[in-house]
């Protein structure tokens, strides 16, 4: 079993990774998905862990080999619904994905503790 962190701890208002500390919309770095190594597709479990989170995270995937020029599409939406959300949420996603990333929109409060992928 392999686990990668797609999005590390990100606190609203504090620059971290691709988040500049003020934008409400941004994208994580791409991480390898199950089909990158195995070539047969598979099941990935993505886990969202948040504290007082306000916003929406979209799990995006691609079938392409180069994440920089890839065609990305949404596979799952995780949203607070306008109320601060504290949660640990695993979600199973099936597909022949080579890369995955998280698109964050409307980030206006709280902390994204982590988003991980396991396969």
């Amino acid at each position: 079993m392999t686990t990668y962190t797609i999005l590390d701890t990100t606190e609203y208002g504090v620059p971290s990774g691709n988040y500049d500390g003020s934008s409400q919309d941004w994208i994580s770095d791409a991480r390898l998905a199950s089909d990158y190594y195995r070539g047969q597709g598979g099941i990935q479990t993505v886990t969202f862990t948040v504290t007082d989170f306000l916003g929406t995270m979209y799990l995006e995937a691609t079938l392409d080999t180069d994440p920089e020029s890839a065609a990305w599409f949404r596979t799952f939406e995780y949203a607070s619904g306008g109320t601060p959300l504290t949660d640990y949420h695993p979600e199973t996603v099936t597909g022949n994905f080579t890369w995955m990333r998280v698109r964050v929109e409307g980030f206006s409060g709280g902390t994204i503790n982590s988003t991980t992928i396991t396969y």
Side-chain angles (χ1 to χ4, degrees), residues 14-26:
V14 179
S16 176
N18 292 352
Y19 174 58
D20 65 9
S22 63
S23 298
Q24 289 194 333
D25 305 338
W26 46 280

Side-chain angles (χ1 to χ4, degrees), residues 9-112:
T9 301
T10 307
E11 182 181 349
Y12 179 73
V14 179
S16 176
N18 292 352
Y19 174 58
D20 65 9
S22 63
S23 298
Q24 289 194 333
D25 305 338
W26 46 280
I27 301 170
S28 74
D29 290 330
R31 295 290 181 244
L32 298 172
S34 66
D35 198 46
Y36 186 87
Y37 289 116
R38 298 189 179 128
Q40 298 176 11
I43 297 173
Q44 290 96 175
T45 300
V46 179
T47 304
F48 299 89
T49 307
V50 297
T51 303
D52 295 327
F53 173 71
L54 284 169
T56 302
M57 287 188 274
Y58 297 99
L59 181 65
E60 295 184 332
T62 186
L63 306 175
D64 298 331
T65 56
D66 179 11
E68 297 300 318
S69 61
W72 292 92
F73 53 91
R74 293 178 179 171
T75 62
F76 183 75
E77 177 181 327
Y78 181 80
S80 67
T83 302
L85 179 63
T86 298
D87 191 23
Y88 170 86
H89 182 85
E91 185 68 34
T92 301
V93 181
T94 304
N96 296 328
F97 312 131
T98 52
W99 294 91
M100 297 186 110
R101 68 183 186 185
V102 174
R103 176 179 300 274
V104 180
E105 294 184 0
F107 185 37
S108 59
T111 302
I112 301 167

